[in-house]
């Protein structure tokens, strides 16, 4: 019996086929925090196949027993379902294995192969393999070459078994390196075998945006330049760089968030309805949005983009250090921790509708949201003295996932006075169920061979084609005065000016 009638019909048969799931770099943080808890929860949801095995591969010496114990500690801490019951854990843990080896050592791949073949027999994994590269991209070429040499990659046309590879961002650091990385991957794997993870696509609320747009009749007719004044997309984080100073000095917010997560949100918001909900049909429409983005080059870079870097400030009443004081960050760093841009999608649906985007660390609060700001009514019939506030549809990706519509209503009383009010849908309370983590959905989709929610090579390339000229212009142009916003605020003043120049304002999140 379902406690909540809205969930009836939600359980679908999406059990994955038998397979071995190999994580390269299994001693790292991602495995303990995200990947193993995700696989564990898939097991609890009975979505893992009965014939499933996971092999951790890393250069840290460890036995299978020690690996299982470490993963138990990680899962107890990071699983969305708590507590982790002993019986459920033991069932799952019996499927975990570990092989020690360095990525350059051919003998280690031979040991991996032996283990995989043994598991084909004992666990029934039937020669199906998924390799998850949770390692720095600089190690990809070596891993890909050694996998191929060890005979660990099956032919993409072999229908009796499959080999798939999952790669994590960063997918390069500009157009040239992104394309070079794709080239490397294509040396060992066909595009149909490559699953590029952008965990934003695995978020329930991002998928709900597709459901909202294409599962309802009433919104789509409004979803265009005739009714929409502008769109805002915000990825605000309250955290700083969380000990990842070294990584951030290489990446900055543009490479870390904008090129991937934020552009993914833009694509899903702006794409045309695909012919079918199938991987290539969806991704074809998504990539068209990127191709229609008006390039930001030359003089327009300084007009349409703003960079920021946080200085010390306070958060929840406690002092926090500035970016330049974070460990492994240069005291003169010119890396951005905040970006705002004004974008234009030059196609029939969106021409003339500005899309303002912003992303930043150490902002006032954590909030990811897409807001659709509708045009003003053509004639203020009911409220001639007071301006009518335009309607806003806010799609809250996180936290407090949901959708709200702000519209005008009459204030009770003898006069016709209008005020904006909100109609609100909250995911959590409506479905009374904790949403699966992005990594659960994405790992399961990979096992099922469904790449709809993964980034295709041309998508990554198109994203870099748009972003690279901006990054290059920043390098060669006039440098901003950093730091230029305090931790715990909404970012630099210039970001407010970027949108205020057009007579608009950032939405309060
Ligand atoms: C990661 C970035 O990809 O996404 C991090 O590297 C960022 O810097 C994180 O904090 C945000 O993810 P989420 O799911 O918390 O919005």
């Amino acid at each position: 019996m379902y406690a909540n009638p809205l969930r009836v019909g939600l359980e679908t048969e999406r059990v994955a086929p038998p397979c071995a799931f190999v994580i390269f770099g299994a001693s790292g943080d991602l495995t303990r925090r995200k990947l193993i808890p995700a696989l564990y929860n898939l097991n609890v949801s009975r979505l893992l196949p009965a014939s499933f095995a996971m092999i951790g591969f890393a250069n840290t010496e460890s036995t299978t027993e020690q690996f299982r114990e470490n993963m138990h500690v990680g899962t107890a801490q990071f699983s969305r379902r708590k507590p982790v019951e002993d019986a459920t854990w033991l069932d799952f843990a019996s499927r975990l294995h570990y092989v020690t080896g360095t990525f350059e050592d051919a003998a280690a791949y031979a040991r991996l192969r032996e283990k995989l073949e043994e598991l084909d027999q004992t666990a029934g994994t039937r020669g199906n393999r998924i390799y998850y590269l949770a390692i720095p991209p600089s190690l990809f070429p070596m891993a890909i070459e050694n996998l191929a040499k060890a005979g660990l990659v099956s032919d993409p046309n072999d229908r009796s078994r499959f080999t798939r590879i999952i790669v994590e961002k960063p997918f390069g650091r500009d157009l040239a390196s992104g394309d070079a990385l794709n080239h490397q991957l294509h040396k060992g794997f066909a595009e149909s075998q490559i699953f590029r993870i952008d965990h934003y696509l695995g978020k329930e609320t991002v998928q709900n945006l597709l459901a909202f747009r294409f599962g309802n009749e009433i919104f789509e007719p409004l979803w265009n330049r005739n009714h929409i004044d502008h769109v805002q997309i915000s990825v605000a984080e309250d955290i700083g760089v969380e000990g990842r100073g070294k990584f951030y000095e290489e990446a900055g917010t543009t490479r870390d968030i904008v090129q991937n997560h934020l552009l993914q949100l833009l694509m899903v918001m702006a794409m045309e309805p695909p012919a079918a909900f199938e991987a290539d049909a969806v991704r074809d429409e998504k990539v068209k949005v990127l191709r229609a983005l008006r390039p930001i080059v030359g003089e327009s870079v300084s007009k349409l983009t703003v960079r920021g870097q946080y200085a010390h400030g306070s958060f929840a009443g406690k002092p926090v250090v500035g970016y330049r004081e974070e460990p492994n960050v240069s005291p003169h760093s010119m890396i951005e921790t905040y970006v705002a841009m004004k974008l234009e999608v030059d196609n029939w649906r969106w021409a003339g509708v500005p899309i303002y985007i912003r992303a930043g660390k150490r902002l006032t609060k954590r909030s990811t949201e897409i807001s659709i700001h509708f045009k003003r009514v053509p004639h203020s019939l009911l409220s001639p003295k007071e301006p009518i506030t335009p309607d806003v549809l806010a799609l809250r990706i996180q936290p407090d996932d949901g959708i709200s519509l702000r519209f005008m209503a009459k204030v009770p009383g003898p006069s016709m006075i209008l005020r904006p009010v909100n109609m609100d849908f909250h995911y959590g309370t409506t479905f009374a169920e904790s949403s699966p983590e992005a990594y659960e959905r994405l790992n399961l989709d990979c096992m099922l061979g469904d790449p709809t929610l993964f980034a295709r090579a041309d998508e990554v390339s198109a994203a870099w084609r748009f972003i690279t000229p901006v990054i290059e212009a920043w390098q060669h142009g006039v440098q901003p005065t950093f730091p230029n916003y305090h931790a715990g605020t909404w970012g630099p003043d210039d970001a407010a000016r970027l949108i205020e120049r057009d007579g608009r304002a950032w939405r309060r999140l």
Side-chain angles (χ1 to χ4, degrees):
M1 274 300 280
Y2 288 97
N4 179 344
L6 284 175
R7 289 200 61 77
V8 173
L10 291 192
E11 302 296 317
T12 49
E13 283 299 314
R14 290 196 94 231
V15 179
C19 70
F21 195 97
V22 183
I23 301 179
F24 284 82
S27 50
D29 230 28
L30 183 71
T31 308
R32 206 170 51 93
R33 278 175 178 262
K34 297 281 183 194
L35 301 181
I36 295 293
L39 293 174
Y40 164 78
N41 278 298
L42 284 176
N43 195 43
V44 175
S45 310
R46 299 177 183 280
L47 292 168
L48 279 188
S51 304
F52 174 85
M54 178 271 158
I55 303 180
F57 183 94
N59 54 15
T60 311
E61 282 289 342
S62 170
T63 63
T64 285
E65 276 318 311
Q66 287 163 336
F67 178 66
R68 288 178 181 169
E69 192 38 47
N70 281 338
M71 295 303 112
H72 190 186
V73 175
T75 307
Q77 192 178 351
F78 298 110
S79 165
R80 74 181 163 94
R81 288 194 178 98
K82 288 194 179 107
V84 170
E85 310 279 353
D86 279 353
T88 0
W89 174 257
L90 287 175
D91 169 52
F92 174 68
S94 65
R95 299 149 174 249
L96 306 185
H97 307 268
Y98 190 81
V99 171
T100 309
T102 59
F103 301 107
E104 66 270 22
D105 179 11
Y109 291 79
R111 286 200 298 281
L112 176 63
R113 185 186 168 138
E114 255 170 50
K115 187 77 200 167
L116 282 164
E117 285 170 355
E118 176 194 318
L119 289 167
D120 283 341
Q121 302 307 319
T122 56
T125 45
R126 298 206 204 147
N128 293 332
R129 284 107 172 71
I130 292 177
Y131 303 115
Y132 197 117
L133 300 192
I135 52 178
S138 55
L139 297 173
F140 285 7
M142 200 183 288
I144 291 167
E145 196 183 319
N146 281 326
L147 279 169
K149 274 194 193 151
L152 286 168
V153 182
S154 66
D155 186 313
N157 299 316
D158 183 347
R159 294 197 163 260
S160 66
R161 60 201 180 128
F162 64 76
T163 301
R164 299 182 185 129
I165 188 162
I166 305 183
V167 288
E168 275 279 339
K169 75 184 237 302
F171 309 122
R173 47 178 293 105
D174 52 19
L175 180 58
S177 56
D179 283 352
L181 181 64
N182 278 332
H183 184 67
Q184 281 297 343
L185 288 166
H186 288 147
K187 276 189 180 166
F189 296 86
E191 181 64 21
S192 61
Q193 295 174 302
I194 304 171
F195 288 69
R196 294 176 194 80
I197 282 212
D198 182 313
H199 78 279
Y200 266 54
L201 286 177
K203 287 184 190 279
E204 281 285 328
T205 37
V206 175
Q207 294 162 53
N208 191 41
L209 180 51
L210 289 167
F212 183 78
R213 287 196 56 200
F214 305 128
N216 293 294
E217 164 63 20
I218 58 173
F219 305 109
E220 200 51 27
L222 305 178
W223 211 262
N224 56 53
R225 63 191 304 275
N226 298 329
H227 300 282
I228 297 176
D229 173 72
H230 75 283
V231 176
Q232 298 185 15
I233 307 180
S234 307
V235 180
E237 293 187 275
D238 52 10
I239 54 170
V241 291
E242 305 285 287
R244 293 157 79 219
K246 188 157 173 278
F247 162 76
Y248 224 74
E249 284 284 272
E250 295 276 310
T253 298
T254 315
R255 292 184 170 98
D256 187 37
I257 302 282
V258 179
Q259 187 270 348
N260 33 75
H261 305 328
L262 210 148
L263 290 185
Q264 286 293 347
L265 295 180
L266 169 74
M267 285 186 265
V268 176
M269 184 284 296
M271 70 194 271
E272 293 300 317
F277 193 59
E278 282 166 6
D280 279 332
V282 171
R283 297 186 298 176
D284 286 346
E285 294 307 333
K286 280 171 59 196
V287 79
K288 282 185 204 162
V289 175
L290 293 185
R291 294 207 186 112
L293 270 179
R294 185 178 304 171
I296 301 185
V297 287
E299 285 191 356
S300 63
V301 175
S302 58
K303 288 202 191 103
L304 302 177
T305 70
V306 170
R307 279 173 288 168
Q309 187 194 74
Y310 62 86
H312 65 89
S314 71
F315 186 74
K318 292 204 183 102
V320 291
V321 298
Y323 176 67
R324 289 178 176 181
E325 286 91 57
E326 299 273 9
N328 300 317
V329 169
S330 154
H332 310 291
S333 174
M334 288 306 290
I335 288 296
E336 79 285 357
T337 59
Y338 179 99
V339 180
M341 292 186 194
K342 177 182 174 184
L343 312 180
E344 303 261 357
V345 177
D346 286 333
N347 63 18
W348 276 55
R349 186 187 284 266
W350 294 110
V353 180
I355 299 175
Y356 301 93
I357 62 166
R358 57 179 164 164
K361 296 246 183 232
R362 281 279 185 242
L363 300 182
T364 315
K365 65 191 249 206
R366 177 170 188 246
S367 175
T368 300
E369 186 192 89
I370 301 175
S371 53
I372 314 289
H373 299 248
F374 290 93
K375 291 190 172 174
R376 281 183 194 285
V377 290
H379 166 57
S380 203
L381 170 73
L382 299 174
S383 172
K385 290 205 193 99
E386 272 194 77
I388 296 245
T389 313
D391 303 333
V392 176
L393 178 71
L395 304 141
R396 291 187 306 270
I397 307 295
Q398 62 187 21
D400 184 24
D401 1 352
I403 298 174
S404 71
L405 178 66
R406 187 183 76 187
F407 61 96
M408 296 304 277
K410 180 185 173 301
V411 178
S415 323
M416 183 54 92
I417 298 173
L418 306 190
R419 287 279 175 272
V421 292
N422 279 317
M423 204 152 76
D424 230 347
F425 153 68
H426 293 263
Y427 234 91
T429 44
T430 303
F431 291 107
E433 176 91 12
S434 80
S435 293
E437 290 260 352
Y439 281 96
E440 289 173 46
R441 171 64 194 252
L442 295 174
N443 287 335
L444 178 64
D445 279 5
C446 178
M447 292 179 216
L448 289 161
D450 179 357
T452 311
L453 300 177
F454 292 81
R456 206 168 57 185
D458 56 343
E459 228 174 281
V460 173
S461 194
W464 281 125
R465 189 162 294 115
F466 174 73
I467 290 292
T468 305
V470 176
I471 298 176
E472 284 174 358
W474 283 344
Q475 273 161 0
H476 300 120
V478 181
Q479 295 305 313
T481 312
F482 276 174
N484 57 356
Y485 70 98
H486 282 286
T489 66
W490 278 117
D493 293 342
D494 280 347
R497 282 194 277 273
L498 174 82
I499 186 165
E500 282 164 8
R501 266 204 313 259
D502 297 343
R504 302 182 175 104
W506 291 112
R507 201 174 121 79
R508 271 182 63 178
L509 297 176

